[in-house]
Amino acid sequence: MDFSADSSYLQVSTGSYKRQVYEVPSGKQLVDQAVIDRITWATWTSVLGDEVIGIWSRHAEKADVNCACVSHSGINLVTGDDFGMVKLFDFPCPEKFVRTSFCMVTRSAVDFRILSCFSRRHMMEIFPFLNL
């Protein structure tokens, strides 16, 4: 769940793999893609949307990528998947099948389901060579 920078909108990813955007505080669902495209998000933790199409590999299934988190600077995106991979992308990554900037294997997929909750400081510990 992410709020827009002005707190006027909320985006969620559903269990049926759909990105939905709502107006705050009315709760009315926003369906106009042109309006959605102009929203600046304060955070980004969704694995869905035009901004993150590139995180999906050619053979990935919908449930393979578990979490995503954009750095506070808004230029990097870290993802975690079912295969124990933590991947770093430029953000946004709207082109399909983008190569990762960095990839590492963790002990298990569980390690990075928590990744989207990490603060900037924790991301810097994982990727100390980046200016996040």
Side-chain angles (χ1 to χ4, degrees), residues 5-127:
D6 65 1
S7 299
S8 296
Y9 302 97
L10 171 74
Q11 77 171 348
V12 295
S13 299
T14 70
S16 59
Y17 298 98
K18 294 186 178 166
R19 175 185 175 201
Q20 296 179 337
V21 178
Y22 296 92
E23 293 178 352
V24 175
S26 72
K28 180 182 173 193
Q29 185 173 355
L30 192 62
V31 293
D32 185 346
Q33 191 60 46
V35 174
I36 293 171
D37 290 344
R38 289 192 303 271
I39 297 172
T40 300
W41 296 100
T43 60
W44 189 284
T45 57
S46 178
V47 297
L48 305 173
D50 292 340
E51 297 85 345
V52 294
I53 287 174
I55 69 173
W56 298 93
S57 67
R58 203 171 293 280
H59 305 290
E61 295 180 14
K62 287 183 178 178
D64 287 348
V65 181
N66 304 112
C67 62
C69 185
V70 172
S71 64
H72 289 282
S73 64
I75 60 172
N76 300 107
L77 172 72
V78 179
T79 65
D81 66 29
D82 279 347
F83 309 106
M85 305 295 281
V86 175
K87 298 177 182 177
L88 178 69
F89 298 90
D90 291 333
F91 184 80
C93 55
E95 301 298 322
K96 288 185 177 182
F97 317 125
V98 172
R99 291 181 53 94
T100 62
S101 300
F102 178 80
C103 183
M104 74 178 193
V105 181
T106 62
R107 287 176 277 130
S108 72
V110 175
D111 290 338
F112 50 134
R113 289 196 178 119
I114 301 166
L115 187 64
S116 63
C117 299
F118 277 16
S119 68
R120 179 178 180 207
R121 182 177 64 83
H122 288 105
M123 288 178 68
M124 290 173 65
E125 289 172 8
I126 295 171
F127 304 109

